[in-house]
Amino acid sequence: MDAPTHEFSEIFKQMGLDDDPVEIDRFITTHSPLDDDVKLVDAPFWSDSQRAFLKENYIADSDWIVMIDQLNEALHKPKA
């Protein structure tokens, strides 16, 4: 049985953030780049519940892991 897959916008919706493409881009632009030594889960802009979601799903290697990794990459990528 294949694990469920999620769209990138779904992680934003899951964490109570706007999942509109323009707002996702605005969020990433506003909060990036994170310093290399800052783990995604330790970024200062997450609420406690958002941080818990990221941490729990990362530890569990859940079906959200691909989107968590993509979010991590997007927030650590230097601005063009």
Side-chain angles (χ1 to χ4, degrees):
M1 184 172 167
D2 292 330
T5 57
H6 300 284
E7 298 293 326
F8 190 55
S9 62
E10 290 179 70
I11 195 166
F12 286 83
K13 187 173 185 175
Q14 184 68 25
M15 293 195 305
L17 300 169
D18 196 333
D19 62 340
D20 174 83
V22 172
E23 292 304 316
I24 290 171
D25 186 55
R26 181 175 292 139
F27 180 89
I28 291 170
T29 300
T30 300
H31 297 294
S32 67
L34 290 175
D35 289 337
D36 289 340
D37 61 339
V38 175
K39 294 180 182 178
L40 178 65
V41 72
D42 295 331
F45 46 81
W46 301 125
S47 69
D48 290 342
S49 62
Q50 290 166 333
R51 186 172 285 109
F53 171 82
L54 292 168
K55 190 173 189 177
E56 290 167 12
N57 283 281
Y58 186 82
I59 290 169
D61 196 21
S62 77
D63 58 329
W64 286 104
I65 196 68
V66 173
M67 292 303 103
I68 291 171
D69 287 344
Q70 188 175 344
L71 181 60
N72 183 53
E73 185 177 317
L75 288 168
H76 278 93
K77 185 177 180 179
K79 295 177 184 172

